[in-house]
């Protein structure tokens, strides 16, 4: 689920209510939540202030995502350079884990 949508729902607000608080049209909030567009800098700041979170949190960036990306890149490099020796069991575990993550993301 989109971070803006999570923040809005946690406050029990409708898109139209959040839009009114921010002085934007409800369509803008809908487009942010569906990922069609990102809020402009001014709107992103108003969102952060309204929800009491950082800009990174409003935009869905987190250290955890950066760390996961780094792990993924390191695994890919190691596999490419044949530095990583994985057993069939290791490969199955990784693929199973990846499928579980994808399923979790689809539920959001």
């Amino acid at each position: 689920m989109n971070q803006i949508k999570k923040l809005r729902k946690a406050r029990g607000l409708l898109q139209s209510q959040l839009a009114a608080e921010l002085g934007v049209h409800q369509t803008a909030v809908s487009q942010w939540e569906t990922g069609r567009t990102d809020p402009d800098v001014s709107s992103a700041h108003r969102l952060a202030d309204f929800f009491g979170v950082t800009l990174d949190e409003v935009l869905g960036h987190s250290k955890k995502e950066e760390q996961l990306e780094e792990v993924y890149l390191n695994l890919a490099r190691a596999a490419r350079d044949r530095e990583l020796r994985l057993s069939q069991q290791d490969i199955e575990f990784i693929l199973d884990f990846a499928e579980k993550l994808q399923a979790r993301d689809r539920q959001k």
Side-chain angles (χ1 to χ4, degrees), residues 6-31:
K6 284 181 189 175
L7 292 166
R8 176 181 61 79
K9 287 190 170 272
R11 286 270 183 103
L13 297 172
L14 300 172
Q15 286 182 345
S16 57
Q17 293 170 313
L18 178 58
E21 287 287 337
L22 300 174
V24 299
H25 196 275
Q26 182 268 331
T27 304
V29 174
S30 174
Q31 290 180 341

Side-chain angles (χ1 to χ4, degrees), residues 39-59:
D40 60 34
V41 174
S42 177
S43 296
H45 279 284
R46 288 196 309 271
L47 282 162
D49 289 343
F50 179 76
F51 289 117
V53 297
T54 66
L55 282 174
D56 280 343
E57 289 173 288
V58 166
L59 299 175

Side-chain angles (χ1 to χ4, degrees), residues 44-104:
H45 279 284
R46 288 196 309 271
L47 282 162
D49 289 343
F50 179 76
F51 289 117
V53 297
T54 66
L55 282 174
D56 280 343
E57 289 173 288
V58 166
L59 299 175
H61 301 144
S62 73
K63 292 281 186 202
K64 191 177 204 178
E65 288 176 6
E66 291 172 19
Q67 290 169 341
L68 287 174
E69 182 70 18
E70 186 177 338
V71 167
Y72 171 76
L73 289 174
N74 287 337
L75 277 172
R77 283 186 198 111
R80 178 197 66 208
D81 297 339
R82 307 233 185 258
E83 295 172 1
L84 189 61
R85 303 269 188 246
L86 296 175
S87 69
Q88 186 62 35
Q89 185 178 6
D90 292 335
I91 293 169
E92 289 173 12
F93 175 82
I94 291 168
L95 291 173
D96 183 56
F97 182 70
E99 287 174 11
K100 288 178 182 173
L101 289 175
Q102 288 174 336
R104 183 197 67 196

